Amino acid sequence: MKTAKRIYTALVFIFLYLPIAVMILYSFNKINSTGVFGGFSLRWYAELFRDTETLTALRNSLVLAVISSLCATVIGTAAAVGIDKLRTRWVKTLTLTVTNIPMVNPEIVTGVSMMLLFVFGANLMRASGSVLGFWTILIAHITFNLPYVILSVLPKLRQIDPHLQEAAQDLGCPPVKSFFKAVFPTILPGVITGAVMAFTLSLDDFVISYFTIGPEFQTLPIRIFSMTKKRVTPDIYALSTMLFATILLLLIIINALQAYGDKQQGRKENRINRSL
């Protein structure tokens, strides 16, 4: 039974990571081929830094991902605190259900509906020219990132003592300061998880971006899609490899920080229990 479980787990990991491993391998290919490995070379990494259009699209994607993830993290954390404070059960359930809709809703439906909303709003304001651009895609990314941040922060809020903030206020701490001193450090791992998830989802999104982007702003997924009409050049393999390595390193650092925080919290609780 244990052998079967190990084989099954190994097959799952192979199916998940074999395509990425092949992409990484061919990013170092000496020749322009996806079927023959002609030797190890950094040629396509050098070509990547000479491709100005791809680098511009990468910069646009990074700027968009950073701003949208920060905005979604702030709004989503505040929304999670508000939802956690709700005392009427059916209101809380209804709010969570509405919050989860963007997650289960097909992306194409979200993209088309947001495009129609922006165009409808522009017609009401009688705006001239193209209404779609950086601001419309930013609003769209913040919108679909919010549920992921909320669902990352809510479990952390449920783990803390509900009277912790009240105790801080009884000791003379103002409401806002008591939240940042007593509650926020406890939910910080959930906030960081939500921010990282929002960043990666924004960086990766294609469908919603395709419907809400304007002609003057291009993200990396849109750039790669436009290249598929001809042929994706191997410098995109190099760029994808660099992005994968960056995200992997970021996740390792975050998990290490969370493990260290949990360890410190455990030591603190043990000291408190011994003192009692």
Side-chain angles (χ1 to χ4, degrees):
M1 192 67 179
K2 290 183 178 180
T3 304
K5 290 181 179 179
R6 290 174 181 174
I7 293 174
Y8 175 76
T9 304
L11 289 174
V12 169
F13 277 101
I14 288 172
F15 279 114
L16 285 174
Y17 294 106
L18 184 59
I20 298 176
V22 172
M23 178 196 70
I24 293 173
L25 174 65
Y26 277 91
S27 71
F28 296 102
N29 196 2
K30 190 175 183 179
I31 60 176
N32 187 357
S33 174
T34 56
V36 178
F37 188 77
F40 183 86
S41 173
L42 295 176
R43 170 189 174 186
W44 301 114
Y45 288 86
E47 290 289 337
L48 171 64
F49 289 101
R50 287 195 288 264
D51 190 346
T52 55
E53 290 188 18
T54 299
L55 292 178
T56 300
L58 174 62
R59 183 198 63 192
N60 292 341
S61 291
L62 290 174
V63 170
L64 178 66
V66 169
I67 297 176
S68 64
S69 60
L70 288 177
C71 293
T73 301
V74 173
I75 300 172
T77 302
V81 172
I83 293 172
D84 187 66
K85 296 289 185 182
L86 293 175
R87 293 293 172 257
T88 307
R89 186 171 181 179
W90 70 269
V91 175
K92 193 172 186 177
T93 303
L94 179 62
T95 305
L96 286 173
T97 302
V98 173
T99 301
N100 292 339
I101 289 177
M103 296 178 64
V104 298
N105 198 37
E107 284 193 344
I108 190 169
V109 176
T110 303
V112 172
S113 60
M114 296 206 75
M115 178 192 66
L116 292 175
L117 175 65
F118 294 137
V119 174
F120 177 72
N123 289 335
L124 286 180
M125 295 184 291
R126 302 189 182 279
S128 59
S130 177
V131 66
L132 300 179
F134 173 76
W135 294 107
T136 55
I137 192 175
L138 176 62
I139 294 171
H141 279 223
I142 293 172
T143 301
F144 75 74
N145 279 333
L146 278 175
Y148 297 95
V149 177
I150 293 173
L151 292 181
S152 297
V153 176
L154 270 177
K156 295 296 181 182
L157 286 168
R158 292 168 181 163
Q159 291 175 6
I160 65 176
D161 189 339
H163 304 294
L164 182 62
Q165 190 172 359
E166 296 176 5
Q169 294 178 26
D170 290 341
L171 295 173
C173 209
V176 176
K177 188 176 181 180
S178 66
F179 171 78
F180 284 103
K181 288 288 186 180
V183 178
F184 188 74
T186 308
I187 66 172
L188 185 58
V191 174
I192 294 175
T193 301
V196 173
M197 190 175 296
F199 177 82
T200 54
L201 288 170
S202 177
L203 192 65
D204 175 67
D205 181 74
F206 168 76
V207 177
I208 296 176
S209 299
Y210 183 79
F211 287 100
T212 57
I213 202 168
E216 299 178 357
F217 190 83
Q218 187 181 52
T219 61
L220 186 61
I222 302 295
R223 165 69 177 162
I224 295 175
F225 175 74
S226 65
M227 293 174 66
T228 58
K229 297 176 182 178
K230 298 178 182 178
R231 189 189 179 200
V232 178
T233 55
D235 60 337
I236 297 299
Y237 308 156
L239 176 60
S240 300
T241 300
M242 293 171 64
L243 288 175
F244 174 76
T246 303
I247 296 298
L248 180 62
L249 179 62
L250 185 63
L251 289 176
I252 291 173
I253 293 173
I254 290 172
N255 287 332
L257 290 175
Q258 287 183 357
Y260 177 77
D262 292 341
K263 189 176 180 179
Q264 292 294 105
Q265 183 69 21
R267 289 178 178 176
K268 186 177 180 181
E269 291 176 357
N270 290 334
R271 286 197 299 268
I272 294 173
N273 292 333
R274 284 197 298 267
S275 64
L276 295 175

